[in-house]
Amino acid sequence: MSRVSQTHPQLVPVPIPDAVATLIGRQIPERVLAAEVEAMNLAYNIKLCRGDRYREAREQCLADLARANKTLAQFNPQLIVRGAA
């Protein structure tokens, strides 16, 4: 198994210690963390809503995803979660 990064051939990925991840997490407002979790769950649910039978559920998930992405974009535009189109 290669430990070389796919983005840069000479970089080896290094795991972030839990204490550092916790410190980074404390810098992000609670509403943004909640929006990120909601957006990830909605993106997964959108993948499950296939076919005409689930059209209304898919549209509702897309609307909720747009609302969550609005919160994420206010904090950092790179946090936006893309739904499965």
Side-chain angles (χ1 to χ4, degrees):
M1 180 168 107
S2 175
R3 293 193 48 153
V4 177
S5 172
Q6 297 295 327
T7 57
H8 194 279
Q10 295 179 353
L11 293 178
V12 176
V14 178
I16 298 174
D18 290 339
V20 174
T22 303
L23 183 62
I24 292 170
R26 288 184 189 159
Q27 305 294 323
I28 300 174
E30 188 67 33
R31 65 182 172 81
V32 175
L33 292 175
E36 184 178 18
V37 169
E38 182 181 1
M40 294 299 289
N41 288 336
L42 288 168
Y44 176 74
N45 288 342
I46 290 170
K47 291 178 186 177
L48 298 178
C49 297
R50 294 185 182 156
D52 292 337
R53 171 177 174 180
Y54 301 108
R55 185 180 328 180
E56 290 181 33
R58 179 179 171 85
E59 289 175 4
Q60 182 65 41
C61 285
L62 286 170
D64 292 343
L65 179 62
R67 185 172 25 93
N69 275 338
K70 186 175 180 181
T71 302
L72 292 173
Q74 287 175 345
F75 184 73
N76 183 352
Q78 293 179 344
L79 293 177
I80 291 175
V81 176
R82 307 258 185 242

